[in-house]
Amino acid sequence: MILSPVTVSERGDMELRSCCFLVLLCIQLKMADCGVFPELDQSLSVPQGWFPAEHFAYNDPVVLTFALKQQNVKKLEALVRRVSEPDSPEYGRFLSLEELRTLVQPSPDTLMTVRTWLENHGILSCDTIVTGDFLQCQTYSRIAEKLLPGARFVRYVKGDEHVVRSSAPYSLDPDVAPHIDFVGGLHRFPNERKVLRRRKGAEDNVTAEFHLGVTPAVLRQRYNLSATDVGTHPNNSQACAQFLEQYFSPADLSEFMSLFGRSFEHRSAVDQVVGQQGGGRAGIEASLDVEYIMSTGANISTWVFSNPGRHESQEPFLDWILLLSNTSAVPWVHTISYGDDEDSLSLAFMQRINVEFMKAAARGLSILFASGDDGAGCRQVSKDKNVFRPSFPASSPYVTTVGGTSFKNPFQVTYEVTDYISGGGFSNVFPMPDYQVSAVSNYFTSSVKMPPESYYNRSGRAYPDVAALSDNYWVVMNRVPVPWVSGTSASTPVFGGILALINDQRIKRGLSPLGFLNPALYQLHRSDTDALYDVTEGCHLSCFDDKVLAQGFCAAPSWDPVTGWGTPNYPELLKSLL
Ligand SMILES: *[C@@H]1O[C@H](CO)[C@@H](O)[C@H](O)[C@H]1NC(C)=O
Ligand SMILES: *[C@@H]1O[C@H](CO)[C@@H](O)[C@H](O)[C@H]1NC(C)=O
Ligand SMILES: *[C@@H]1O[C@H](CO)[C@@H](O)[C@H](O)[C@H]1NC(C)=O
Ligand SMILES: *[C@@H]1O[C@H](CO)[C@@H](O)[C@H](O)[C@H]1NC(C)=O
Ligand SMILES: *[C@@H]1O[C@H](CO)[C@@H](O)[C@H](O)[C@H]1NC(C)=O
Ligand SMILES: *[C@@H]1O[C@H](CO)[C@@H](O)[C@H](O)[C@H]1NC(C)=O
């Protein structure tokens, strides 16, 4: 584990507060029979709004998800490169899920060791997935605490939601530890996602009421989608995934399309909902994704992955990851507005999820994540030192990350500038992938307004890769159009829908779907192209140091860590990617 000294002591303090005496002793003395702690660096802090119920969960049912050690990860990485780089003779020769299993499935030794260990603890009720590299088991908290020494399950409540999580780090038997990357269902809380409601300009400025707002027609005009630029291939599909205690409302979607979909052929209903709908209430966040992916990716069959993993001890995002590897026919494009601070997640978790994105890339899936709504972000590392705060999975080198823009003139569909909330920066975990080295070094050498180097890691994976409008969307909520909805959770489905349109044209011509886009995307600019509108104005948010806003990154000609390569010009982007 590579952690800076600051991070170690910071995380150590956190554990001191929450951890029981024996585990602490083990960690400090590194006693041999103490077991291995695979996620000691995972934040144990309880997110705002959650409170521990009075007592420990003694005999509550829990679901544990074991990420089994995979084989051939290096080979997988090399394969992803070959199938995603346009110059490669193997470009577009994707693997089926079954072929992927042959490559990555755990060794018989791993399977045997883990199975025997579980059986010895009386854990027999386990499900696997097609690729064989996850095992999900039902048990009880008291058994799980014996299996994973250190774990202390606590029931937390927030309003009428409940989760069961461990308040202390867990360990693995030293004989088993080499066969497991991490165990899910102990730590990470369900992710909160809030879209922004922003009303720019003077609140009482009457002219502002005539502000355009972003609608499907505005997006289609700006990104040069004609009325006939809609999906036509019956086998094409797209998806958005959401992990909220909210559901999208089919009635709102249909109302949205009847209000805003008049100028283009579209669908007004989702074809497949995978997971549970209706567990919570209808919400803006859940409606936004689906309303907008179906506006750019118009007339394309759309799936929604909704709230998988509803058990109290499951991690919804992790369950979506498992679902992908347990379903052979899934849509080619997935957009997700989920993210956590890199520094709150364990290295083991992030690295394994990153491999899961490689698996998706090997299958030809395009996975798009929102870059976040906090600009460069900010984290206080000591009393007078702040650093930027990258977000994961936005920082994974195997996903396409989408930032945000707004119109320069909010009253006209003209050119776009940085939306100051647009997430962007440099990973502290993932090194810079080859495909972006020259784009980023060009940014370093040509950009004049740079934040101090002590705030970020120049050698990390830089994001976002692209952008789209993220300001002042109209969304239909409870049958009523609601204005001022903002955030990169809006720009991400917009870009995803456009990729799905390009897939449609490629499939029609007998070509492969785009798959993992980044290697092709960063190559586009070797030739002179208008495939993306370059965003060159504006900077994003970062830290307030001594109450003064430190400068985040600023947009610049060509690629930049605020808006990536820019926003889509559909006809040209299509031409370059065919
Ligand atoms: C994977 O899919 C199979 C077949 O549908 C199912 O039996 C199994 O429970 C699934 N695995 C998980 C972890 O849900
Ligand atoms: C209202 O907004 C418009 C457009 O931004 C601006 O030109 C005008 O000066 C504003 N008026 C007032 C009174 O703030
Ligand atoms: C895209 O739209 C802009 C503005 O409407 C226009 O200037 C440009 O020529 C269009 N580009 C293409 C390739 O259609
Ligand atoms: C919409 O998509 C279907 C296939 O899913 C296709 O048959 C139909 O022609 C498309 N509509 C238009 C206007 O292209
Ligand atoms: C769609 O997929 C099915 C199943 O893979 C295949 O049989 C069919 O020919 C495809 N349709 C078209 C129009 O390509
Ligand atoms: C910077 O990023 C690299 C990976 O690119 C990582 O190994 C290193 O630990 C990071 N440095 C800090 C201070 O986080």
Side-chain angles (χ1 to χ4, degrees):
M1 205 176 335
I2 313 152
L3 293 169
S4 68
V6 170
T7 321
V8 168
S9 71
E10 195 181 56
R11 288 179 175 188
D13 288 349
M14 207 147 55
E15 278 130 27
L16 276 170
R17 268 182 268 119
S18 55
C19 186
C20 39
F21 177 72
L22 251 181
V23 176
L24 206 69
L25 203 69
C26 270
I27 297 168
Q28 291 190 338
L29 301 182
K30 297 199 166 50
M31 283 154 60
D33 55 351
C34 275
V36 174
F37 291 79
E39 291 191 85
L40 216 43
D41 53 340
Q42 170 66 45
S43 166
L44 297 177
S45 67
V46 176
Q48 227 181 1
W50 289 99
F51 298 97
E54 269 163 43
H55 47 80
F56 283 101
Y58 173 65
N59 207 13
D60 288 18
V62 295
V63 177
L64 299 176
T65 303
F66 299 90
L68 306 181
K69 190 72 74 193
Q70 296 152 317
Q71 298 189 93
N72 298 319
V73 172
K74 283 274 168 249
K75 272 192 192 160
L76 172 66
E77 197 175 350
L79 181 132
V80 168
R81 206 180 261 258
R82 297 198 303 275
V83 300
S84 316
E85 283 177 355
D87 299 340
S88 153
E90 283 173 59
Y91 179 71
R93 291 188 19 208
F94 302 125
L95 300 191
S96 68
L97 190 57
E98 284 67 27
E99 289 165 333
L100 189 58
R101 173 192 36 214
T102 311
L103 187 67
V104 300
Q105 66 189 340
S107 70
D109 180 29
T110 291
L111 292 174
M112 181 64 94
T113 309
V114 174
R115 285 272 187 192
T116 309
W117 171 65
L118 292 171
E119 279 165 19
N120 289 344
H121 284 83
I123 300 174
L124 306 169
S125 171
C126 297
D127 275 325
T128 184
I129 59 169
V130 172
T131 44
D133 47 359
F134 280 100
L135 212 51
Q136 197 163 61
C137 306
Q138 324 240 347
T139 183
Y140 293 91
S141 46
R142 87 194 131 78
I143 298 176
E145 286 178 6
K146 286 213 184 81
L147 182 78
L148 305 166
R152 291 295 278 141
F153 286 94
V154 178
R155 176 178 287 271
Y156 295 91
V157 291
K158 179 185 173 188
D160 47 14
E161 287 176 69
H162 299 250
V163 299
V164 172
R165 290 291 184 272
S166 174
S167 61
Y170 64 93
S171 67
L172 289 168
D173 183 306
D175 294 335
V176 173
H179 302 285
I180 291 178
D181 288 328
F182 72 90
V183 185
L186 287 103
H187 292 322
R188 289 157 289 272
F189 278 70
N191 195 260
E192 279 268 317
R193 173 183 146 209
K194 283 212 182 73
V195 299
L196 309 170
R197 296 289 308 282
R198 283 185 298 172
R199 212 173 142 151
K200 280 227 192 104
E203 290 283 320
D204 51 4
N205 186 337
V206 182
T207 359
E209 298 296 338
F210 299 109
H211 184 290
L212 266 179
V214 176
T215 61
V218 166
L219 288 167
R220 294 182 66 89
Q221 181 188 343
R222 170 61 186 161
Y223 298 139
N224 282 348
L225 292 162
S226 74
T228 54
D229 289 325
V230 299
T232 56
H233 199 282
N235 285 3
N236 190 21
S237 56
Q238 59 190 1
C240 46
Q242 43 205 20
F243 319 107
L244 316 151
E245 286 300 311
Q246 284 192 353
Y247 59 95
F248 82 89
S249 153
D252 285 347
L253 171 61
S254 136
E255 175 72 10
F256 176 86
M257 286 302 179
S258 71
L259 284 174
F260 296 117
R262 296 207 190 101
S263 59
F264 57 98
E265 182 78 16
H266 60 265
R267 301 191 180 202
S268 299
V270 164
D271 280 336
Q272 284 216 46
V273 178
V274 184
Q276 316 214 7
Q277 260 278 90
R281 62 210 151 73
I284 291 186
E285 290 86 351
S287 301
L288 175 65
D289 297 24
V290 71
E291 288 172 0
Y292 279 94
I293 198 171
M294 293 178 75
S295 298
T296 48
N299 196 39
I300 294 175
S301 173
T302 304
W303 295 28
V304 172
F305 288 89
S306 184
N307 299 324
R310 294 288 306 287
H311 187 276
E312 291 181 351
S313 72
Q314 279 172 282
E315 297 179 37
F317 174 71
L318 183 58
D319 282 342
W320 172 72
I321 291 283
L322 263 70
L323 204 57
L324 277 188
S325 281
N326 203 24
T327 316
S328 17
V330 289
W332 295 112
V333 173
H334 297 257
T335 73
I336 307 100
S337 310
Y338 156 92
D340 255 318
D341 298 327
E342 266 188 351
D343 59 279
S344 76
L345 298 168
S346 74
L347 202 57
F349 175 81
M350 289 185 279
Q351 285 179 336
R352 174 57 186 261
I353 297 299
N354 196 46
V355 176
E356 298 305 307
F357 295 139
M358 288 182 207
K359 284 165 60 186
R363 297 166 71 186
L365 310 183
S366 306
I367 309 277
L368 281 74
F369 274 89
S371 71
D373 295 341
D374 299 313
C378 189
R379 180 166 74 102
Q380 189 171 41
V381 288
S382 63
K383 196 162 153 288
D384 42 25
K385 183 171 165 35
N386 287 335
V387 293
F388 295 158
R389 185 166 221 172
S391 155
F392 179 83
S395 69
S396 162
Y398 291 96
V399 303
T400 299
T401 304
V402 186
T405 62
S406 49
F407 283 124
K408 169 80 169 174
N409 177 343
F411 302 94
Q412 278 173 24
V413 182
T414 52
Y415 77 100
E416 292 157 77
V417 296
T418 296
D419 184 347
Y420 65 95
I421 54 105
S422 181
F426 295 78
S427 174
N428 288 319
V429 174
F430 299 101
M432 188 179 298
D434 293 348
Y435 61 73
Q436 65 174 192
V437 168
S438 97
V440 179
S441 57
N442 175 55
Y443 173 76
F444 282 144
T445 51
S446 63
S447 185
V448 281
K449 293 191 284 180
M450 291 293 285
E453 278 188 32
S454 60
Y455 278 80
Y456 65 100
N457 191 333
R458 285 169 72 104
S459 67
R461 143 63 158 152
Y463 68 95
D465 303 298
V466 288
L469 285 160
S470 58
D471 194 21
N472 285 335
Y473 278 63
W474 285 93
V475 173
V476 170
M477 220 358 242
N478 299 325
R479 317 296 156 78
V480 183
V482 176
W484 313 113
V485 175
S486 300
T488 53
S489 46
S491 52
T492 308
V494 165
F495 203 94
I498 287 177
L499 286 191
L501 283 181
I502 297 173
N503 272 345
D504 208 271
Q505 294 297 318
R506 287 185 55 95
I507 299 168
K508 240 166 75 177
R509 288 163 170 78
L511 301 169
S512 70
L514 291 166
F516 174 45
L517 182 69
N518 293 7
L521 178 74
Y522 282 76
Q523 273 192 23
L524 286 182
H525 295 265
R526 283 192 200 155
S527 54
D528 202 22
T529 168
D530 300 322
L532 294 138
Y533 296 116
D534 194 3
V535 178
T536 58
E537 271 182 46
C539 307
H540 66 183
L541 290 172
S542 68
C543 297
F544 279 95
D545 292 349
D546 303 324
K547 302 196 179 64
V548 181
L549 184 64
Q551 186 199 298
F553 297 102
C554 297
S558 202
W559 181 90
D560 58 70
V562 189
T563 59
W565 286 107
T567 66
N569 177 8
Y570 176 71
E572 293 298 322
L573 188 61
L574 174 66
K575 221 186 290 172
S576 325
L577 291 174
L578 276 179

